[in-house]
Structure formats: C-alpha cells, structure tokens
Amino acid sequence: MGRKLRPGIVFFVGTVLALAGAVGARSGGGKDERPAKADRDAATILVKFAADADASEEIAAIGDEPLGKTKNRVHVVKVKAGKDLDERLAEYRSRSDVLFAEPNYLAHASALGAPADPSYSQQWALPKIQALDGWSLYPGAYGTSGGPTIAVVDTGVQSTHPDLAGQVDTANAANCVNSSSTCASASGLDDEGHGTHVAGIAAAATNNGTGVAGTAFSSLVMPVKALDSGGSGTYAAIANGILWASGRGARVINLSLGGYSYSATLCDAVAQATAAGALVVAAAGNEGTSKTIYPAGCPGAVGVAATSQTDGSPSWSNYGAPDVFVSAPGVSIYSTYPTSSYASLSGTSMATPFVAGLSALLFGQVPSRTPADVKVVLASTADKVGGVTYGSTDPYGTCGCSFHPWYGYGRINLYRALGAAGPAQPGYSLAVTPASRTVTAGAGTTYSVDITPSGGFAETVSLTVAGLPSGASASFSPNPTSSSSTLSVATSAATPAGTYPLTIGGTSESGVARTTSATLTVEQPGFTVAASPTYVSVKRRNSASYSIAVARTGGFSSPVALSVSGLPANTTAAFTPNPATDSATFVVATSSSTRKGTYVLTLTGTAGGLSRTVQVTLKVG
C-alpha cells in the first residue's frame, strides 16, 4: 500500500514509501564487513616494559595514564584523549625498553543466535548494524527488561499489538494533540499507523516467537500522541510532548517528524529535555534537500539520515548539518503496524528509531552516561559507509571525527558502539542558540554559546568566532568559560546586507578543539514598492485603480513620496495618500480625448535618498 505526504501541513512524518523495493540512491556501496578495530577497547592498550621499576613514570611522561598492571607485569595504559591508538602502539613498540605493546582486545560471550521472531529474516537492517554481536555485549541475553524508556512522540502506539504488548509504558502515555497548553494522560492509541511502526523498530519484543525483533528490546516505549490521524501536528503539541516525556523519565525521545520553520519554542523544549538527561533523536526529512528541518536542526538534537541495503544514500534523504548527525537503515523497514499487523515503510522516520534504540542500549549499559557521552559514542563508532570521502571538518564539534553531508559521522553500528569503553573520553561539545539572527545594519544581537562536558571534562574553553561581515565586531562574556557564554555581535551602518555563516570555535586548556555554526543576516534600512493589479483595461472617460503597498526593512521609517511617468496625454492621476507610509491608492482618470492604446506606467517611490520603482500596464479602449 502506498503512503504519500500531504502538502501544506505544519508537520510531516518522514515516511516516503510503503513497499519493498529499490529506491534512487546517491551512491552504491560498501561491504557489510566487521571493522578490524571493533574487537578492541577504544581507550586502553597493554604494554610490557623490560624493566618494571619506573614503568608508571615512563607512561605518565609520555602523557598517558597508568591504570595498573596484570599479574605478569603487563601495564594497562589509558591513552591520552585525542591520540590515535595505532599511532600510540607504534610509539611504544619503537622503544628499546618495551618488550611488547598490543591492543587491549575485547573478549565476550559467544554471539547470540538469531532470535526466534519468525520475520527476523525480513529485517535486513539488524544484521547490517551488527545487532546480534552488539546484543551479545549488552544486554547479553534475550528476555531482559529494565532498559531506559524510549518516548515515541508521534501518532500514538497500538499497545495491544502482539509484538508490543508488555513493551509499552501505558502508565505514562499521553495525548498532546487537542491542547496548546499541556498534554493529557491518555492511552496514546495510534489512529494513523506511523507511531506503531516506529515503536516496533525501536523496541518490539524480541525472541518471543512473534513477528519482528526490536533494537532495544529491554526498553519500554512511552507513547506520546502529538500527531493526529492525518499525521500532522502543531509545534506546541510537539514541544509539550517532548517535555511530557522528559518529565516522566524518558532517557531517549524519538521524533520521526519535522517542519521547515524555525521555532524557538520547539528548540527550547529540546534544550530542556537534554538538560534533564534525555537524548532527543529526530528525523532529517525526506525531500532530498539540505534545508534545515526542525527539531533535527535544533541544537543538541541528533538528526538521522537514511541508508539503503547497500549502504547508499537514498535520493530522498535530506542531507547536511545541522540536520544530519548520523545515519541508519531507512529503506523497506519491516515493523509492527495497526491493527496487529506488519508493514514495510521507508523514510528517515524509520531510520530514527534505530538510533533511538541504540542510544537506549548505551544508557542502559552505562547509566552514568550523559546525552553528550552518548553522542560521542554514536559519532566515534559509526561506520564510514557509502564509498565516499568523509571530510575532516567536525560540524558539531563532537569528537573530531570525519563527516559527510549524506551520512553524518557514518551509519550506526551496535557492536562497535556497545564495545566502546564505558563513558566517553573527557571532552566537550559546543552548541549555539538561536541558530540564526537577523539585525539591521548598525544594530547588534546576541547568541548563547553552551559548553556541554562529557567523560569528566572539567577545563575552561576559550571561544572565538569567524565569518563576521565587514564593519562588524564580536565579543564573548565570559571568555574563557566552562559552561556558557554570551556572544555579542555589533554591526555598523556600513555593514553590507547579506546572510553570513559564522563559525564559533572553542579550544580547551589542553588543546581540545571544537566548533559549531550559526547564521547572521544583516538588513540595510530600506523599502520596496509593489502594485496590484499589474494590468487594468478601461474605456475612455473611465478610471483605473491600483493598490500600492510599501514594505519597509531594517527599521526604515521615512514616508515615501510617490510619482508616476508614462501617462498618456489627456489623463490625470493621483496617489492617496501621498507621501505614503504603508499603502496608497493610485487612480488614473482618462478623458474622451485620451488616445486608445496600451501604456506602461512607471511608479516611483522616493524616501531617505532611496528610490524604488514598479511598473503597471494601462490599456485604454
């Protein structure tokens, strides 16, 4: 069955197909191979020195941290944050006083067998992201429970679905659709289908002999209905749903929805949820555009693009920062669907719950992890898929990892992520709010720059900004800082009008660098003149009337004097009022001696040394 997005709605749900089959792709690509480094601890190596007396001092002098040693005098060494493990191994091996140095490999129980869900073979995405190997690391067995709750803010969830019964947190379910001020405790039942499909991907019961397997099968789903039966909803409903979920203990909030208008209300809700300890994961959209979509583009959110069975980027998947943080399978995804059935759907809506599920597993594995910690793990362990070159620029300042607009930091990998060593290495991320500001030349504006530490990071960070237009200056207060700072930007009257991308950089005391971006739009004071209709036909001795609209920009306030040229002989014309402030009526009166013909009239507005024109046509018959 087909599902198509309806044009003109405030919010859309990111589903583009409801069939199994090929889709257009930007690139082919990639083999489903386990990375060679996946079996290694991401933070430590093992080193044995020939003489053990001062080995700890030697390790510290290199800049690493000695964590202890095994019974056979092999030192466990924590590699300094930001250092490449292979380079560090080569450095130790080159020393004459080192007998050997090797990775601190991971050992784990034999991988779980495929679950007993009869449709598991149709779930191509789970083997692609190495779910079985990842589940073997955590939770380690089927049938476990107690994982962090995932809120699905969507069309609701069919809680009685045989593959979701027992997986749904009905006690905290809510309906946010019918109120602009709050959500109401309610069943959150699904009257459209999209939310149930998303919920199954995130956390369907697994190894239960029924249907499909869920990514985070040890977690509960909290249904928060914020989209109506047509799949649309207001920003107020979405924001209320986010805050309902975070206020009731959800550690992950899945938002398989989006709209292209920036909303401070929506992004503020994302910021509040993040501050409360919840990770917000949102769909990047399905229009094949780099235009910013919200809430994926809100600071702090994890935006998710889609990948295909061959790790290609579908042509409809949105791309670029700030929408895309990572990517996940999103083509022909088989999952739960009302009523008590199953369906294959495609879209970034389907990719998002894979990331939400993995995030819940990461929180469950190490409960002390923060949203910033989880983002670092997601970014640093993602597979570089697609057969494309990932650039060195880290647009979110998350981990110094390479990035590609189609895939973000890469396609998620459960095994690599759950094999990462505990909490993230000490570090931080930068975020700026709002994402864009508009000012009149000669005026100023401010942004808030926030530093989110992870892994025990406790340093101050010095801030800089690049990309300012000519005639503009900026300052941070305070600077350096360990938490937040206000970026003040001042323009001059001579600053050219335009939109300027700003890069805000941070450098910590130990040299850890991060960047984030914002936009500054500068408007010069001025005005425009428009007329309607643009064509009028009259008989001689009659009058033609036009409406004149004056639109002002950049705080321009002078009255606009209006004039006309091109009138035929033996006609009169008048503007009322003149000068005009916002609007005027232009009337042309013909006479019996006005010659028949078609005339192009030029209307001119003049004020403050500026002149603007618009043309209309008058036909005299």
Side-chain angles (χ1 to χ4, degrees):
M1 63 181 179
R3 286 183 87 252
K4 292 186 179 295
L5 301 176
R6 290 167 294 284
I9 63 175
V10 175
F11 254 80
F12 76 88
V13 289
T15 305
V16 296
L17 300 172
L19 49 88
V23 298
R26 297 190 180 92
S27 67
K31 298 179 180 178
D32 186 17
E33 296 177 349
R34 182 178 303 176
K37 298 179 182 179
D39 291 310
R40 293 160 36 161
D41 184 286
T44 62
I45 59 177
L46 303 176
V47 183
K48 188 167 185 176
F49 285 78
D52 196 43
D54 56 355
S56 294
E57 295 180 6
E58 290 290 332
I59 294 168
I62 292 171
D64 295 335
E65 180 183 350
L67 297 179
K69 57 185 175 181
T70 65
K71 289 293 185 180
N72 55 340
R73 298 191 302 109
V74 176
H75 288 261
V76 182
V77 178
K78 183 177 181 180
V79 175
K80 183 179 180 180
K83 292 295 182 180
D84 181 81
L85 262 66
D86 287 326
E87 292 179 0
R88 209 49 140 191
L89 283 169
E91 184 176 344
Y92 279 105
R93 288 167 177 166
S94 67
R95 293 174 60 107
S96 60
D97 58 345
V98 169
L99 297 177
F100 60 81
E102 63 186 9
N104 194 8
Y105 290 105
L106 298 171
H108 53 84
S110 298
L112 292 173
D117 306 273
S119 296
Y120 175 75
S121 61
Q122 298 184 52
Q123 295 182 272
W124 66 267
L126 292 176
K128 177 68 69 174
I129 61 175
Q130 292 190 257
L132 290 182
D133 291 336
W135 294 337
S136 299
L137 297 175
Y138 178 84
Y142 297 121
T144 58
S145 60
T149 297
I150 304 170
V152 174
V153 180
D154 211 292
T155 62
V157 176
Q158 186 201 342
S159 59
T160 59
H161 192 291
D163 228 1
L164 292 171
Q167 299 290 109
V168 180
D169 180 11
T170 54
N172 287 305
N175 189 320
C176 309
V177 172
N178 298 318
S179 174
S180 61
S181 59
T182 187
C183 300
S185 181
S187 63
L189 289 179
D190 190 357
D191 54 6
E192 198 275 349
H194 187 267
T196 298
H197 196 271
V198 167
I201 298 168
T206 299
N207 204 43
N208 63 339
T210 300
V212 296
T215 307
F217 52 80
S218 62
S219 289
L220 291 178
V221 167
M222 181 190 299
V224 180
K225 183 172 176 58
L227 303 181
D228 61 22
S229 59
S232 63
T234 66
Y235 278 31
I238 304 302
N240 284 335
I242 293 169
L243 296 176
W244 172 280
S246 65
R248 284 156 181 79
R251 292 300 307 274
V252 182
I253 300 175
N254 188 99
L255 299 167
S256 290
L257 44 78
Y260 287 101
S261 296
Y262 170 75
S263 168
T265 299
L266 192 59
C267 289
D268 182 69
V270 171
Q272 288 191 48
T274 303
L279 183 69
V280 176
V281 185
N286 305 321
E287 277 67 51
T289 178
S290 62
K291 184 178 179 181
T292 303
I293 191 170
Y294 301 95
C298 289
V302 171
V304 184
T307 58
S308 68
Q309 293 93 327
T310 59
D311 273 334
S313 173
S315 58
W316 43 257
S317 183
N318 286 6
Y319 57 92
D323 292 355
V324 178
F325 187 87
V326 290
S327 51
V331 176
S332 297
I333 304 300
Y334 194 67
S335 183
T336 50
Y337 203 77
T339 302
S340 300
S341 62
Y342 298 85
S344 287
L345 300 179
S346 296
T348 56
S349 277
M350 285 62 254
T352 303
F354 283 112
V355 179
L358 172 54
S359 299
L361 291 171
L362 289 168
F363 279 126
Q365 183 188 40
V366 182
S368 63
R369 279 178 169 139
T370 66
D373 290 335
V374 171
K375 289 171 70 174
V376 172
V377 175
L378 291 173
S380 60
T381 61
D383 287 343
K384 306 298 184 185
V385 298
V388 294
T389 300
Y390 286 66
S392 58
T393 301
D394 180 352
Y396 302 101
T398 300
C399 56
C401 310
S402 58
F403 183 90
H404 191 279
W406 299 347
Y407 303 98
Y409 292 111
R411 193 254 300 128
I412 62 165
N413 183 307
L414 258 73
Y415 179 62
R416 295 187 67 194
L418 293 167
Q425 291 290 316
Y428 66 95
S429 60
L430 282 179
V432 59
T433 52
S436 62
R437 288 285 201 189
T438 299
V439 297
T440 302
T445 189
T446 61
Y447 302 82
S448 177
V449 180
D450 297 307
I451 296 170
T452 302
S454 60
F457 181 85
E459 302 177 27
T460 59
V461 176
S462 297
L463 300 170
T464 59
V465 60
L468 291 169
S470 62
S473 60
S475 62
F476 293 91
S477 180
N479 192 19
T481 180
S482 59
S483 56
S484 62
S485 180
T486 298
L487 167 60
S488 299
V489 177
T491 65
S492 69
T495 299
T499 297
Y500 302 93
L502 307 180
T503 300
I504 294 90
T507 304
S508 72
E509 297 169 86
S510 62
V512 178
R514 298 287 186 263
T515 61
T516 188
S517 58
T519 299
L520 174 69
T521 299
V522 179
E523 294 181 343
Q524 282 286 347
F527 68 94
T528 59
V529 176
S532 66
T534 57
Y535 176 94
V536 176
S537 177
V538 297
K539 298 292 186 181
R540 285 185 292 185
R541 296 187 299 277
N542 290 324
S543 298
S545 180
Y546 302 82
S547 294
I548 309 301
V550 177
R552 305 168 186 279
T553 60
F556 189 86
S557 59
S558 300
V560 177
L562 299 169
S563 61
V564 59
S565 62
L567 287 170
N570 302 311
T571 62
T572 60
F575 295 90
T576 306
N578 193 14
T581 53
D582 298 311
S583 62
T585 300
F586 172 51
V587 177
V588 179
T590 66
S591 66
S592 58
S593 57
T594 301
R595 294 187 61 178
K596 295 181 179 180
T598 299
Y599 303 91
V600 176
L601 312 182
T602 300
L603 312 183
T604 302
T606 304
L610 301 177
S611 179
R612 301 288 185 265
T613 62
V614 64
Q615 290 185 325
V616 296
T617 300
L618 174 68
K619 182 178 180 181
V620 181

